[in-house]
Each structure stands twice: as C-alpha cells, then as structure tokens.
Amino acid sequence: MVQELPKAYDFNKTEDRLYRWWWESGYFQPANDPNKPGFDPDKKPFVISIPPANVTGRLHLGHAIVVSLQDLMIRYHRMKGEPSLWVPGVDHAGIATQLQVENKLREEGTSRKELGREKFLERTWAWKEEYGGIITQQIRRLGASCDWTRERFTMDEGLSKAVRESFVTLYRKGWIYRGPRMINWSPGLQTAVSDLEVEYTQEPGKLYFFKYMIAGSDDYIPVATTRPETILGDSAVAVHPEDERFMKFIGKKAVVPMLGREIPVISDEYVDREFGTGALKITPAHDPNDYEIGTRHNLAFINVLNKDATINAKGGPYEGMDRFECRETLWADMEEAGLVIKVEPYLMKVPRSQRGGEIIEPMISTQWFVDVNDMAEAALDAVKDGRIEIIPGRFKKVYYNWMENIRDWCISRQLWWGHPIPVWYCDDCDEMTVAREDPDKCQHCGSTRLRQDPDVLDTWFSSALWPFSTLGWPDQTPDLAYFYPTTVMETAYDILFFWVARMIMAGLEFTGEVPFHTVYLHGLIRDENGQKMSKTKNNVIDPLEVMDELGTDALRFTLLVGSTPGNDTNLSLKKVEANRNFANKLWNAGRFLIGNIDKMPAEMKCEPDWTLPDSWIWAHTKQLSETVNRLFESYQFGEAGRQIYDFFWTEFADWYLEIAKDQIAEGGDRAYTTIQTLVKVFDICLRFLHPFTPFVTEALWGHLKEAAREVSPELAPEGGWEDALIIAQWPERMAFEGWEGQAVEDFTLIQEMVRAIRNIRAEYKVQPGHKIACTISAGDTFDMIQAQRQSFVSLAGIDPNNLKIIVEPLAPSDDAISLVITPVEISLPLAGLVDVEAERERLEKELEEAESQIKRLEKLLASPFAEKAPAEVVEKEREKLATYRDTAEKIRQQLG
C-alpha cells in the first residue's frame, strides 16, 4: 500500500537529512582519473571554483546569491550527465583576520606588538582553526553541493607553494619590483590597502579658496582645495595653457603659504577651467591625479605625512599635528596672513577604509609592485577574441576600459597575517635573495645573515591563482590535467576588475590557458525599495534567520527567479514568504498525486484515448522543455525559474490537476492514462525545479519514485528511476509532432469560457458551492465542447442538469447575461446566479447600515462640531454623508 505523505512539508526535518545523504552517497564528488570508478575521459567536465569567502565571515545575502547561482549551475550540469566539480574554499582575509585577533588580544589586555610576530601568528592560526569553519558550515545550509574533499584555504601548503612559484617567476621576468609609488594608505591599520578595500561615501565637506601669491609681486592665482593640509606638500600650481586669465603667470614662481617655499607655475591640459577657480595646486605625493601631473612635469614629490597621518618634518611649524588639526591651524594662519578668499560647503566623495572606517590617504610609499602591462594585454585579447565570454556582454566595455588603463599593482601589505613576501635581505652585501624555498645563505655573497622582508602579500595575489592553484598547480596533478581550465566564474559585477581580471592575467601567464571560458556576473542584493542594505538603515535581511523561518528552498528560489545577469535584485521577506507557499503548493500537489496513484488499474484494456486536457498539458510540457533548455543555455536562469513556476502553478496545479480528479474518478483506462500523465509531468517539473529548490524536490521525488514503483513499471521514466533526483537525467527538449497547436487552441477556448463565467460569479457574489445554469452556442466547436462537458461543469461551477450545448445562435434575452468568447456565445440566466431571498436579506442589512450612518452624520453635522472643527475635516464628513445617501438610494432601487 502506498504510504500517504504528511499534510505539510517540514523543511526543518528534511534539509539536513537530505544534505548528509547526498554527501555520504558521493554525489558531490566527480572522478578525475582512469583508476577511479565512473571516470569517462570523453566527457568534458563542468567546473566552478567558488569565490572563497573570508575565513572571518558570517553568511550574508552576497554569499547566498553566489552559492544559489553556482549550485544551480552545478546541479543542472550534473543532471545532464557531465562530471561536475565545484571546488570550495575560504580566503585567509589578511586585514579582517588580523583585526579579529588583535581585538581578542585587546580584550585580554595585550597587543600584537607585545606578543611578537611568531606568537601572534600562532594565535591567528589557532583562531582560524576554531572559527574558520563557521562560514563553510553556513554555506552548506544553502544546499551547496561542493566537493568538500577538495576544500582549499588560501594559506594551505599547496596554495602557499603556488604563491611562491608565481612571485619568483614574475620577479625573475622583471615584472615584480620594489619602489616608491602612489598607494592607498590606511593610517589606522598602518598598511597599504587595495582599491577594493576602499569605500567611497558622499559626505558634506568644504571647498577652501585661497591666494597663491606670485613670488616678488602682489599678484596671485586663486586656488581651491578640499584638503588644506596638503598645501604643505605642493610642488606646483597648474593652469590650463589656453586660459587667458593665468597665461601671464606660466613659468613664474608661486610661494607656498606659511612655508615660503617657491614652486613653479605650470600649464597642463588636465586642468578644468570651469571647476573651482580654474587653477590647481599640485601635490604629487598625496593625490593620484597630481601624481600623474608630477610625473609628466618632473616635479618634486614631497610627502608631508607620517604613517599615522601626523605631519612630518616637511610640514615645518606644523610637524607633529594630526592631519585634521593641521587643516584647521594652517587655515587659521592663512586667514591671519590675508591669504584666505572664502570657504564654501561642498559635497565630497570621501575614501574610507572598509575595515577601519578612517579616511584613506593617497601617499607615496615604498612597496612591492607588479608591472602588469604585458599580462593585461594578453587578458584583454582573451576577451576580445572570444576565448572568454562575459555575461552580460555590456560589461566587456567596462573590462576593456580597466585593462587599457591599468596601473602597476601594489602587492605588499604591512601586516603579519598573510603570505610572507619570499624576499630576504643580506646584512653583509645588502643584496636581495628571492627564492621558492627559505634560503640558508645569501645567493650573492654566501652570508647567513639574512632577514626576510617584513611585509606580506595582498590577499588578492593568492586569490588571483585560485582557479588553478586549487587543482594542484604548480604540480601537474590529475585534477589539474582533467578539470582545468574551469568552465564558469560566477561572481558579483563589482569585482570584475579587482579579482576576475587578475585571475585571467594569472591563468594565461602561468598555465598558458584561460582559467575559465565564461564569466557570469550577478548584481547586488538590495532591499525591497532598491536601497543598499546596511545596519544603519535597519534593512538588512539575515539569510540564516530566513532559512530558519521559511526554509532554504524559499530563499534560494526567491534569489534565483529575482535575478537577471548583471542587474541588482530587490528582495523582500514577502517574496520569500510567497515562495514558501510555492514549496507548500508543490508538496500538496505531490501529496494528492501520491495519495491517488494506487487508483491506477493494473493495465490498459484498450489503446490509449487521450483527452483534450491530457493533450493540452503534454503540449505545454513540450513547450516548457524547449523554453527552459533555451533559457538555461543562455544563462537566463531567473526567467527559466519563472517559466517553470508559472507552468506548475497555473497550468499543472490550477487546471490539469483539477480536471484529473474527475478523470481518475471515471476509473478504467481513463484513470490509467490520467495517472500516467500526472506522474510523468510532475516528474519533469521536479527535475526542472531541482536546481532551484533542491530539498523539497528531492523529498517529493523520492516519495513519487517509491509510490510509482509499487503501482506500475509503466510509470517509470525512460531509462528507469535513478537512485536520487540530484543525479537524475535532466529533461531535454521534446520533439513536436504537429497535434500540439490544435490541442492548445481548443483547451485555451475552454479556459477562456471558464474564466469568463468565474468572473461573473465573482461579480454577482455567487457562493462557491452554488451551481448555475448555462447555455452555450458552440457553432463549429460543438463536438469539442461537448467532449469537454464534464471538465467544463466542474471548473465553472455549472449545474450539469441545466447545461445546454447547442449549435444554433442564442436568442436575445433580458433575463440572462450574454458572454461572447469567439467563436462561442454563453447565456447565464440571472435567476440562477443568486439566491433571491438571501440576496434580499443581504441588501436589507446593507440598507440598514447605510441609514444608520446617515443619521449619525446628519446629527454630527447639525451639532457645534460643524462650526468648531477644521473646514477640511467637516468637508470629509459631508462627503461621507453624500456617499452613504447615494448607497442607500441604489439599494432601495435594487429592492424595488
């Protein structure tokens, strides 16, 4: 006997159980060499390397959309029979992790410097072992079918080897060098930071206008700045070469306020004559644009800041002041000296540290850099010649712009946690030794007095190697040989340059191949109003809480169907709740089907006689298979999900399932073909939905398989029932045979007739159980409609004893409602639409309520209220009175 499903789907009892079963069954692990079972060298694998989450992280919606999209792709390709590998891992997150450990030490009353580097690193590794696995456990909650046996960490032994190999290779090619250049400096963190770790915010500031006096005269050039403290580092004043206001000063000297240092007045076309005063102060050591101008004009690079953002000796009398204290003091001194013109409010784009929150200072600093020009050119060609496709295509222009204007990459960080730079300095000959292994002596003089460079590498340096280092590079492993290049890199569009471009450069340089063939970019997740989520706005949605309350499938489906490549997604809990209801609808449909599956006779007695609804649902199933496969192949996953949703909810559940109840009740061959159709179509729906909602579909499919096996082998899909839905065959496109169009056309007419009658029932407030009379003038569709009599009666709420289907036209009648649904005309007798006595009773109650409100309002408006209350309030009450009087009059007319 077929086991009945529980009334409600319990995701809390299902998700963890199924996930452990999938993992323990080995479904996440593809074979990679001929010595392992299941390996097929002729099958091209599908491979994704997960963007490594920070080891310090807690699951947020950014992770949720990444994991949902990538798991969807992996499950889809796995069901297509492709060896599908999803490589998981976490990033050591240099700054974030170091800050976590430093905060912990601070709570203990000590510090990193008191502990010393070696002990601090021991504590950091211990912290990583204790807390570093939390994020991966949370990723599992989302149903991520990663091969956890291949999980990697950006500082594990293999990846550390890859980092050294790549550093030494680039150094020996002359592409890695050490020298002074403009970088982002974090005064709070005391390190250089990457562009990705700088967040720009719009903040109110000031634009300071002042006089740059011309040496030996009373003339001056008016200049404006947002950072007066940088005046101390000025090397020139620049004007546009065609600006008639200032042409006479070009080549002369200007005097730096309060310091008295003379600097040249230069001309440069970069100057915008319309902005500010039309003249610029040039501070090459503290502004990226000024750095370029200073390089072009061979200006002095004067750094006036210490690492803690206090003023150094170059600042003269302001030495030792904090940068913002200096700003106020210097400006006051300039005002006293008569150099101030004015100060205006100004909305500024302020660079702040992502981690520390303090304002970042552009600063000249001696760091390690990679000259990426040759690698960037190769990476540019890889996209232009089509070896790498970027989806959506509009981001190619962004990629081209970045790569064509790329600057040397600052790869050193003044941290302790991270990949140590593999460079050693000799205390005897002052030469550098760069090596893959820790050296025991200087390569130049043989001295053993070596000290390693104190800096570590930018986190993005190791991340750039991720697609191939995780597969074993630089060693030639079976994984690297079979799974590389990977297939898709799926990530957010905001790190196309910071990470994706660097992976392409590194892949081409170190392996000679592109690291992946497709870059799929998703958008950011915003709140329901399109606002960025933030704690200050109190609009953050916690995915862990949502999964606890509404289930993982509901969250995944919401994120996936709401996404389109490269576009931001607005998310609300109402959408997730609606998709929780969708999971319940799916479960209820499965419960009905499985609960009725044993009503299928043992065998057919005649040749199959398919009904119009059978043919119609199969026609739509075929169309669905065509549409979904096309959308999946073009990476339009969100639209594919919406199409499956609409088919299941509207066509399968709301129409065919309702008709199937009557067809099953007929018994015999009709019940046989109906249950067979239900099982096969529902099986296809579950397969299509599995990449979106893996848990509820796997649970239902397992029950469906067991029930179908118990009832009849004829219910099995072509090729038989697989062991699990996660490895079941993906439904490919179904061939069209020619009859589908007529079936859809005929049943669509039945649907339109039913909808029209349902609208009339709603308009006249006909009770759901009340059956009404109906006459149909069917014309040429008589035979078709007559054949659908039972379905029509059930769906439209028609009294079967008062249904007439005729060929001839209907006679006009004042006592009936006429509906025209070409080529059909329907007549519904008014008397049958309502219970006359019940309707009169309802109208009398409504009239009584209206007359009561009229008396109340007439009394109110005749009282002192009408004179004392505000005019707009009194007017609203008068409008209410007029409305109630109008309603009462209409009811009296209806009552006669």
Side-chain angles (χ1 to χ4, degrees):
M1 182 177 178
V2 175
Q3 187 175 359
E4 186 179 2
L5 263 63
K7 287 187 177 180
Y9 170 58
D10 189 341
F11 60 82
N12 285 312
K13 291 181 179 178
T14 304
E15 292 177 0
D16 183 60
R17 172 180 59 81
L18 283 179
Y19 192 86
R20 281 188 283 107
W21 174 60
W22 287 329
W23 170 242
E24 290 167 2
S25 299
Y27 297 141
F28 300 170
Q29 298 171 255
N32 69 343
D33 67 60
N35 298 318
K36 293 186 177 180
F39 177 73
D40 184 350
D42 295 328
K43 282 189 175 180
K44 187 178 180 182
F46 180 84
V47 186
I48 295 179
S49 299
I50 198 170
N54 282 359
V55 71
T56 60
R58 171 184 165 87
L59 193 74
H60 56 67
L61 285 172
H63 298 122
I65 185 63
V66 166
V67 172
S68 298
L69 276 166
Q70 293 185 13
D71 191 53
L72 174 142
M73 292 186 212
I74 286 288
R75 287 177 185 270
Y76 163 62
H77 285 276
R78 186 186 288 123
M79 292 176 76
K80 285 177 71 69
E82 301 168 23
S84 300
L85 173 63
W86 190 9
V87 183
V90 290
D91 192 282
H92 63 277
I95 292 175
T97 305
Q98 182 157 315
L99 282 176
Q100 290 273 14
V101 179
E102 287 196 61
N103 289 339
K104 193 171 181 65
L105 292 175
R106 197 173 296 114
E107 292 173 4
E108 297 172 7
T110 185
S111 69
R112 168 170 63 101
K113 291 182 179 178
E114 285 181 24
L115 209 59
R117 186 164 191 149
E118 186 177 343
K119 291 290 184 184
F120 176 79
L121 289 176
E122 287 178 7
R123 286 292 300 270
T124 309
W125 276 106
W127 184 93
K128 183 263 175 187
E129 293 304 316
E130 185 175 355
Y131 298 104
I134 293 175
I135 185 65
T136 58
Q137 291 300 323
Q138 293 172 340
I139 286 172
R140 285 173 168 86
R141 279 286 311 276
L142 284 160
S145 55
C146 299
D147 183 353
W148 297 103
T149 65
R150 289 179 166 94
E151 184 178 358
R152 303 305 299 266
F153 176 54
T154 52
M155 282 177 62
D156 67 27
E157 185 178 348
L159 270 68
S160 296
K161 181 179 180 180
V163 165
R164 285 211 177 177
E165 176 66 29
S166 57
F167 184 96
V168 172
T169 300
L170 294 178
Y171 177 80
R172 291 183 178 171
K173 290 187 75 166
W175 291 358
I176 284 184
Y177 65 92
R178 188 170 185 262
R181 285 183 70 91
M182 175 71 66
I183 52 96
N184 300 311
W185 182 259
S186 170
L189 301 173
Q190 294 278 291
T191 181
V193 294
S194 74
D195 290 338
L196 192 63
E197 291 156 338
V198 178
E199 293 181 340
Y200 289 87
T201 57
Q202 292 282 355
E203 300 179 19
K206 297 176 182 177
L207 195 57
Y208 299 82
F209 294 79
F210 67 98
K211 302 173 184 177
Y212 236 118
M213 304 303 298
I214 301 300
S217 77
D218 292 332
D219 290 331
Y220 67 87
I221 299 175
V223 176
T225 181
T226 58
R227 300 157 66 209
E229 67 277 11
T230 62
I231 293 171
L232 303 173
D234 284 355
S235 295
V237 175
V239 299
H240 194 278
E242 298 175 2
D243 194 330
E244 295 180 356
R245 296 171 296 173
F246 305 126
M247 287 176 68
K248 62 183 178 180
F249 298 128
I250 297 172
K252 294 188 176 183
K253 298 286 186 181
V255 180
V256 176
M258 312 320 297
L259 295 185
R261 178 164 48 81
E262 293 188 359
I263 57 176
V265 179
I266 62 173
S267 65
D268 196 290
E269 291 185 350
Y270 171 80
V271 179
D272 183 354
R273 285 175 282 184
E274 305 302 320
F275 178 75
T277 65
L280 290 179
K281 58 182 284 301
I282 305 300
T283 320
H286 293 289
D287 182 272
N289 296 315
D290 291 3
Y291 178 89
E292 299 297 333
I293 295 173
T295 302
R296 282 199 297 273
H297 293 271
N298 199 27
L299 299 175
F301 286 70
I302 304 170
N303 181 10
V304 298
L305 291 175
N306 295 311
K307 290 182 177 180
D308 62 356
T310 58
I311 305 299
N312 63 24
K314 298 285 180 64
Y318 305 97
E319 180 181 4
M321 289 186 185
D322 173 77
R323 52 183 166 165
F324 302 120
E325 179 190 358
C326 174
R327 177 181 299 181
E328 301 300 323
T329 305
L330 173 62
W331 193 250
D333 291 345
M334 289 171 61
E335 191 165 29
E336 191 174 332
L339 299 176
V340 168
I341 299 174
K342 62 179 178 178
V343 179
E344 291 182 349
Y346 183 68
L347 191 63
M348 297 169 57
K349 196 176 179 183
V350 179
R352 290 190 176 273
S353 166
Q354 186 186 60
R355 299 296 174 185
E358 78 277 10
I359 294 177
I360 293 294
E361 283 293 339
M363 190 184 292
I364 299 290
S365 177
T366 298
Q367 302 282 346
W368 286 94
F369 295 88
V370 181
D371 179 345
V372 293
N373 286 298
D374 287 351
M375 289 192 288
E377 187 175 342
L380 196 57
D381 290 342
V383 175
K384 285 185 174 180
D385 64 25
R387 281 175 288 158
I388 295 177
E389 184 65 34
I390 296 177
I391 299 171
R394 69 177 185 272
F395 281 95
K396 288 181 183 178
K397 290 183 179 179
V398 178
Y399 178 83
Y400 295 158
N401 183 56
W402 278 333
M403 301 306 280
E404 288 166 356
N405 296 281
I406 199 165
R407 297 178 181 178
D408 288 0
W409 174 15
C410 176
I411 58 171
S412 49
R413 299 290 181 266
Q414 289 63 57
L415 302 170
W416 287 357
W417 174 246
H419 288 283
I421 291 178
V423 174
W424 290 261
Y425 304 98
C426 179
D427 288 335
D428 288 334
C429 70
D430 292 330
E431 293 288 348
M432 290 189 303
T433 295
V434 179
R436 293 174 174 83
E437 304 291 340
D438 289 7
D440 53 14
K441 62 182 179 180
C442 174
Q443 290 177 348
H444 304 277
C445 71
S447 171
T448 59
R449 288 163 36 86
L450 297 175
R451 51 187 170 80
Q452 190 169 6
D453 191 298
D455 292 348
V456 298
L457 288 165
D458 177 12
T459 295
W460 295 99
F461 190 90
S462 53
S463 297
L465 314 176
W466 188 249
F468 49 93
S469 64
T470 52
L471 297 173
W473 186 90
D475 296 333
Q476 295 305 306
T477 63
D479 271 6
L480 188 66
Y482 184 59
F483 293 120
Y484 187 82
T486 66
T487 313
V488 174
M489 173 47 62
E490 192 286 326
T491 191
Y493 64 68
D494 59 346
I495 55 173
L496 173 61
F497 174 69
F498 298 111
W499 186 38
V500 177
R502 288 169 180 170
M503 284 189 287
I504 296 172
M505 289 191 290
L508 289 166
E509 176 61 28
F510 298 118
T511 72
E513 298 183 85
V514 294
F516 29 74
H517 301 299
T518 301
V519 176
Y520 178 99
L521 301 171
H522 67 259
L524 307 179
I525 306 297
R526 299 183 180 276
D527 73 6
E528 60 187 313
N529 300 312
Q531 298 293 311
K532 186 176 180 180
M533 291 190 187
S534 68
K535 291 180 180 177
T536 55
K537 293 180 182 176
N538 197 32
N539 63 350
V540 175
I541 295 175
D542 185 336
L544 294 168
E545 292 178 2
V546 173
M547 288 188 286
D548 287 342
E549 182 181 349
L550 301 171
T552 298
D553 288 325
L555 176 62
R556 281 178 58 127
F557 196 74
T558 305
L559 292 172
L560 291 168
V561 300
S563 71
T564 53
N567 294 330
D568 293 350
T569 300
N570 294 353
L571 179 68
S572 71
L573 286 176
K574 289 180 180 178
K575 290 180 181 178
V576 186
E577 288 168 359
N579 288 318
R580 185 265 319 271
N581 295 339
F582 175 60
N584 289 338
K585 180 92 169 179
L586 199 64
W587 184 264
N588 289 335
R591 186 169 181 270
F592 166 79
L593 172 53
I594 292 166
N596 286 274
I597 199 169
D598 56 3
K599 294 177 182 176
M600 178 180 178
E603 59 182 15
M604 290 271 288
K605 292 183 178 178
C606 305
E607 287 297 310
D609 177 22
W610 303 103
T611 66
L612 176 61
D614 295 337
S615 299
W616 170 80
I617 197 66
W618 270 118
H620 273 290
T621 303
K622 288 185 175 187
Q623 185 58 57
L624 181 72
S625 73
E626 169 65 32
T627 301
V628 171
N629 277 286
R630 174 176 52 79
L631 291 169
F632 261 79
E633 288 161 10
S634 59
Y635 293 88
Q636 297 294 326
F637 305 121
E639 182 57 29
R642 288 188 285 275
Q643 293 286 337
I644 302 165
Y645 176 99
D646 288 344
F647 170 84
F648 173 78
W649 193 294
T650 304
E651 292 164 349
F652 183 75
D654 284 358
W655 288 95
Y656 186 70
L657 206 61
E658 293 305 310
I659 292 169
K661 293 175 183 178
D662 289 330
Q663 294 189 173
I664 292 171
E666 287 185 41
D669 285 359
R670 179 70 68 235
Y672 188 102
T673 54
T674 301
I675 291 172
Q676 191 175 51
T677 301
L678 280 170
V679 169
K680 291 184 181 295
V681 175
F682 191 57
D683 171 47
I684 290 169
C685 286
L686 293 178
R687 291 172 193 249
F688 276 145
L689 281 167
H690 181 71
F692 297 90
T693 55
F695 294 108
V696 68
T697 52
E698 183 74 80
L700 273 172
W701 191 85
H703 289 297
L704 178 68
K705 177 180 67 172
E706 292 308 313
R709 276 177 170 170
E710 191 173 326
V711 169
S712 171
E714 294 299 316
L715 294 176
E718 188 177 346
W721 293 103
E722 298 90 343
D723 291 339
L725 181 57
I726 190 175
I727 55 167
Q729 185 178 344
W730 178 258
E732 300 293 346
R733 289 175 171 86
M734 299 179 186
F736 287 90
E737 301 170 38
W739 52 262
E740 293 87 357
Q742 189 61 51
V744 170
E745 182 181 329
D746 287 348
F747 194 76
T748 298
L749 176 60
I750 299 295
Q751 286 179 298
E752 289 175 354
M753 293 165 59
V754 169
R755 288 191 186 103
I757 293 173
R758 285 175 174 176
N759 289 339
I760 292 297
R761 291 177 66 100
E763 184 180 336
Y764 280 82
K765 298 183 177 63
V766 178
Q767 293 298 314
H770 181 64
K771 305 298 182 182
I772 62 175
C774 174
T775 302
I776 301 171
S777 171
D780 293 341
T781 64
F782 176 85
D783 291 340
M784 185 273 290
I785 293 176
Q786 183 67 33
Q788 304 312 310
R789 184 185 186 97
Q790 181 58 49
S791 296
F792 179 74
V793 162
S794 296
L795 294 169
I798 303 299
D799 180 354
N801 298 318
N802 282 300
L803 172 62
K804 296 178 183 178
I805 304 174
I806 59 177
V807 175
E808 58 272 13
L810 294 173
S813 171
D814 294 334
D815 298 325
I817 293 172
S818 180
L819 302 172
V820 178
I821 300 97
T822 307
V824 169
E825 188 177 358
I826 299 174
S827 177
L828 303 175
L830 282 170
L833 291 175
V834 293
D835 181 327
V836 177
E837 288 303 317
E839 180 66 4
R840 185 173 190 84
E841 186 179 337
R842 182 184 66 80
L843 289 172
E844 286 174 348
K845 284 183 180 179
E846 287 188 10
L847 178 60
E848 185 180 341
E849 171 63 19
E851 288 174 339
S852 172
Q853 292 294 337
I854 291 169
K855 288 179 182 178
R856 181 185 67 80
L857 288 167
E858 286 176 341
K859 185 176 180 181
L860 178 69
L861 292 169
S863 71
F865 164 83
E867 296 176 5
K868 295 180 180 179
E872 62 271 18
V873 174
V874 174
E875 184 58 30
K876 281 185 180 179
E877 297 303 315
R878 286 191 176 125
E879 288 174 1
K880 286 181 185 178
L881 176 59
T883 300
Y884 278 118
R885 283 173 173 167
D886 184 53
T887 299
E889 182 57 31
K890 286 180 179 177
I891 294 174
R892 291 189 192 100
Q893 290 175 4
Q894 285 181 280
L895 288 170

